[in-house]
Amino acid sequence: MTAELVRGQNHTLPQTRLEIRISAGAPVVAGATLGDEQGRVAGVEWIAHPGSPQLHGLEVSRQAASEHRLAVDLDALPDGVHRVTVLLALPLGAGGPTRFGAVASPFVAVTGLDGAEIATFTLTGLDSESAVAALELYRRQGAWKVRAVGQGYAGGLAAMLADQGVDRAAELAGTIQEAVARGLARSVAPPPPRTPEGDRVRHAPTPAPAPGNGQPPVPPPPPAASPQPEPLAEPAAPGAPVNYAHPRRQPTAPPPPPPAAPPAQPGQPAQPVAGDATGWSMDERLYNQVWGMFEDLARAVAAYRSAVDFAESRMDQELERTLSDPRSRIGGAGDRAREEARAKRDELTARARESLDRDLAQLDAESAVVEPALPAPYAGWDNPVWHGYQVPMEIPMALRIGDLHLPERADLRIPLLVRLPLERGMWIDSGRTASEAAALTGTDQLRRLAMEAAVLHAARLLAVYPPNEFTVHVIDPAGSAAGALAPLVRSGVLPSPPAAGAQGVSSVLAHLTRRVDLVQMAIRAGAADSLPPDLDPAEQLLIVNDFPHGFDDRAVTQLRYLADEGPSVGVHLMMVADREEASEYGPVLDPLWRSLLRVTPVADDHLADPWVGHAWTYEPPRTPPGSTVLDQVLERVAHARRTGGR
């Protein structure tokens, strides 16, 4: 029976391997401190946080999120630890709430590895606090208990750490927030909030064997859920963001049930089918299904990695105990103990891999039926759907900007879908990164590939919007991207030639800055229908090549303004730049880089998922060698723009 705790109440823990699950109404930072009998923290090495997420017996999330799972093995904690305090804090500078009173009350559950709840605690009564000690696990007379704490701190993370006796708490709090900011900058935005009605109906990944008798703690990944359908568009209220929903998009009838999967053979998993997630249309079902595959793969690999870590840790502990006994160093006893420990490690790892392989096989089968069924906005450029492309009459719900994969199965690619309208600009990093692919690519080739990737992204955006509802501008100060921009130029989809030189840079930035200012003023005044007749109502994309060349201080300020204020009024930024070349600006440009989703022109493992925080390898979009699909699509877009879609 689950114990529902109130502040100050405690409950005995029946086991020592636990999960602490956290749900909050907004992204929060989750961490934990290890304390002695008086609750004092010996030093920074006893604090688990996003910048240092793993300690012996404890692992926390690597980034801020609205849901967390913390893994705890009380038996594996250092001998001097008598208390584990779970901390929550709101991330700074992320544009979110700054006090817990502005969000839904966080909920914390202590569970077993099977997901069964042992104790829960809802942190009510918080107001101005931006950090809170949620609960603590403590040892009393050899037994572990959990106590609901709920102690908030208006002084934030620094005040909370100082209260636990941490030296230089403010400096450590700054380090943690910096790690969180880096994590948010590289994290893929999760889909909209999910509801119980949105559960996928396809076969979930195979759970690993239940722990016991030395079995590693491999919690089964929960089934992914689907986002709730968005409400129909309402007239914009004063101060509200512009609604870019297409006027011809009409409400539809409630969704029919998802397609039934073919009957499975006895003892075999159900056969996957395309579109078996919930949704109000086939496109929404496929979107939800792709995100479900993304989450399933993240959690399946997390379970496998956790099992491998457990096997390694158990082997190390057994070897340490064996070697600490002088008797085992004489004769063959030590060698036998080492062999037995390694054999157990190999057995546990093999079981975990077998479970992972079952999950991967199921996901691979699902991918094989989903990929061919994807509509053009979600499909790769090699998908035959592009050969029958027709300019759409309404905006799709999402757009594919590349693929993601993990090293456990590099050939299993998950489409990276981002919601439309874009909520965040993009930065295509043309610099030399730490990836193997970048190391093998010359500097000039990286820049060329980066600009070609920008053209492919822009072409896809033009192709998925209705005629004349998306406009692309290009700044190319030195004219170095003429070759990569050729498909956009010769098709006629650009309203004007790429801007070159300082004067061209200034003109384009002034034009888009004016648009942002006018739309914002009209919205604030409640007069969105009184915009000047020369203002283009379409969404705008600005591609900037070779930044910061050709940019003076004023132009840099305007660019930052567009990155911050533009997305809410339909002006989006796509930077093609090497951050090192802009290093002369120092930290002034840090907010600009963090506001953009960083992608690369070659494979690079820099993106993180919003559930576990794995480092995923991003694969940029590519057209098949020798294919003319890009020119064909752009020609149809240009024709539709000239004829109004007729």
Side-chain angles (χ1 to χ4, degrees):
M1 181 176 178
T2 304
E4 298 180 0
L5 305 180
V6 297
R7 227 178 230 98
Q9 190 175 3
N10 60 45
H11 182 74
T12 301
L13 294 172
Q15 58 200 80
T16 57
R17 294 198 183 104
L18 308 164
E19 272 196 348
I20 298 175
R21 302 186 178 186
I22 300 165
S23 299
V28 297
V29 183
T33 60
L34 306 181
D36 57 19
E37 289 185 281
Q38 286 72 43
R40 308 292 289 181
V41 179
V44 294
E45 66 276 6
W46 276 24
I47 303 174
H49 57 82
S52 178
Q54 290 182 321
L55 301 177
H56 286 297
L58 177 64
E59 182 174 1
V60 303
S61 303
R62 290 167 170 78
Q63 60 195 50
S66 56
E67 295 183 1
H68 292 271
R69 290 187 178 187
L70 281 58
V72 182
D73 185 351
L74 298 173
D75 288 338
L77 295 174
D79 293 336
V81 173
H82 288 260
R83 187 176 302 179
V84 180
T85 304
V86 177
L87 314 176
L88 304 179
L90 293 170
L92 301 179
T98 58
R99 59 188 185 90
F100 275 107
V103 302
S105 298
F107 173 80
V108 184
V110 180
T111 75
L113 297 180
D114 59 355
E117 291 182 347
I118 299 170
T120 63
F121 175 41
T122 301
L123 285 76
T124 58
L126 298 176
D127 186 11
S128 61
E129 298 89 346
S130 59
V132 59
L135 55 79
E136 62 183 17
L137 313 178
Y138 65 98
R139 181 160 46 189
R140 183 68 53 83
Q141 297 178 345
W144 283 93
K145 297 184 178 183
V146 56
R147 177 188 290 123
V149 179
Q151 174 64 54
Y153 294 84
L157 189 57
M160 180 166 55
L161 293 173
D163 192 42
Q164 297 194 32
V166 178
D167 293 333
R168 305 173 71 177
E171 181 179 337
L172 176 59
T175 301
I176 295 173
Q177 293 288 1
E178 177 68 21
V180 171
R182 290 196 301 268
L184 289 173
R186 73 186 188 95
S187 177
V188 178
R194 303 173 296 181
T195 62
E197 290 77 10
D199 289 344
R200 294 205 294 161
V201 297
R202 74 170 191 85
H203 180 75
T206 308
N213 298 325
Q215 180 66 25
V218 187
S226 306
Q228 188 178 21
E230 292 185 355
L232 299 177
E234 297 289 344
V242 174
N243 186 350
Y244 287 96
H246 193 272
R248 286 187 287 277
R249 175 172 286 186
Q250 298 295 327
T252 60
Q265 297 295 324
Q268 298 295 320
Q271 296 300 308
V273 295
D276 71 344
T278 58
W280 292 79
S281 66
M282 188 60 175
D283 286 2
E284 186 173 4
R285 290 175 183 165
L286 288 167
Y287 170 83
N288 295 341
Q289 188 171 12
V290 168
W291 268 93
M293 293 165 59
F294 188 10
E295 182 172 6
D296 286 349
L297 181 54
R299 297 201 184 280
V301 170
Y304 168 71
R305 292 180 181 179
S306 176
V308 171
D309 289 344
F310 170 80
E312 293 285 349
S313 175
R314 172 174 174 160
M315 182 187 70
D316 291 342
Q317 292 176 13
E318 291 181 352
L319 290 176
E320 183 178 352
R321 284 196 297 267
T322 299
L323 296 176
S324 64
D325 185 355
R327 293 173 296 180
S328 65
R329 304 172 192 169
I330 302 174
D335 293 337
R336 286 194 300 272
R338 277 189 284 269
E339 291 175 1
E340 290 175 0
R342 293 191 180 103
K344 289 180 182 178
R345 186 270 314 271
D346 294 343
E347 180 186 1
L348 295 177
T349 301
R351 291 182 185 177
R353 184 70 210 197
E354 182 181 355
S355 177
L356 175 66
D357 287 342
R358 287 196 297 267
D359 294 340
L360 294 179
Q362 179 67 20
L363 286 168
D364 189 46
E366 185 172 15
S367 177
V369 298
V370 169
E371 190 71 45
L374 294 177
Y378 306 172
W381 286 107
D382 57 349
N383 193 310
V385 70
W386 285 106
H387 295 291
Y389 165 77
Q390 298 294 328
V391 178
M393 298 307 294
E394 62 178 21
I395 303 171
M397 69 183 302
L399 182 82
R400 185 174 186 160
I401 63 171
D403 296 331
L404 297 171
H405 64 84
L406 289 171
E408 282 79 4
R409 182 69 182 275
D411 62 333
L412 179 55
R413 307 294 176 89
I414 303 295
L416 176 53
L417 303 180
V418 296
R419 291 296 294 262
L420 292 179
L422 295 173
E423 299 177 354
R424 188 179 182 186
M426 294 175 63
W427 164 31
I428 304 175
D429 191 350
S430 60
R432 188 174 297 281
T433 64
S435 72
E436 180 181 356
L440 297 175
T441 308
T443 301
D444 292 340
Q445 187 179 5
L446 277 174
R447 292 178 176 175
R448 177 180 59 80
L449 291 174
M451 199 60 203
E452 290 176 355
V455 169
L456 288 176
H457 291 308
R460 186 179 288 261
L461 282 163
L462 286 165
V464 303
Y465 270 78
N468 298 310
E469 291 197 15
F470 198 88
T471 302
V472 176
H473 306 270
V474 179
I475 290 179
D476 185 21
S480 59
L485 291 169
L488 297 179
V489 174
R490 63 173 172 256
S491 65
V493 294
L494 296 180
S496 58
Q503 184 175 358
V505 171
S506 175
S507 175
V508 172
L509 291 177
H511 169 72
L512 293 177
T513 300
R514 171 179 177 268
R515 185 190 187 283
V516 172
D517 289 339
L518 289 175
V519 174
Q520 285 186 337
M521 287 189 292
I523 291 173
R524 294 191 187 105
D529 56 348
S530 61
L531 291 168
D534 64 335
L535 188 140
D536 183 2
E539 290 198 47
Q540 312 286 310
L541 174 69
L542 173 60
I543 301 176
V544 178
N545 181 46
D546 215 15
F547 176 82
H549 301 296
F551 283 73
D552 56 21
D553 290 345
R554 174 180 172 81
V556 169
T557 301
Q558 289 176 314
L559 198 66
R560 288 185 56 189
Y561 176 72
L562 292 177
D564 292 339
E565 304 294 335
S568 63
V569 291
V571 177
H572 311 287
L573 193 59
M574 185 178 293
M575 300 277 292
V576 181
D578 179 356
R579 186 171 182 173
E580 291 299 320
E581 294 183 355
S583 59
E584 63 184 81
Y585 289 96
V588 173
L589 290 181
D590 285 352
L592 171 64
W593 305 119
R594 290 176 182 168
S595 68
L596 305 173
L597 175 63
R598 175 177 173 258
V599 295
T600 51
V602 294
D604 190 88
D605 58 347
H606 66 282
L607 288 177
D609 64 78
W611 305 285
V612 183
H614 291 317
W616 293 72
T617 296
Y618 168 79
E619 294 279 355
R622 292 276 188 269
T623 54
S627 172
T628 60
V629 62
L630 179 62
D631 289 329
Q632 294 172 4
V633 169
L634 288 176
E635 286 174 4
R636 293 177 187 175
V637 171
H639 179 267
R641 292 169 70 90
R642 291 191 298 267
T643 63
R646 297 189 295 274

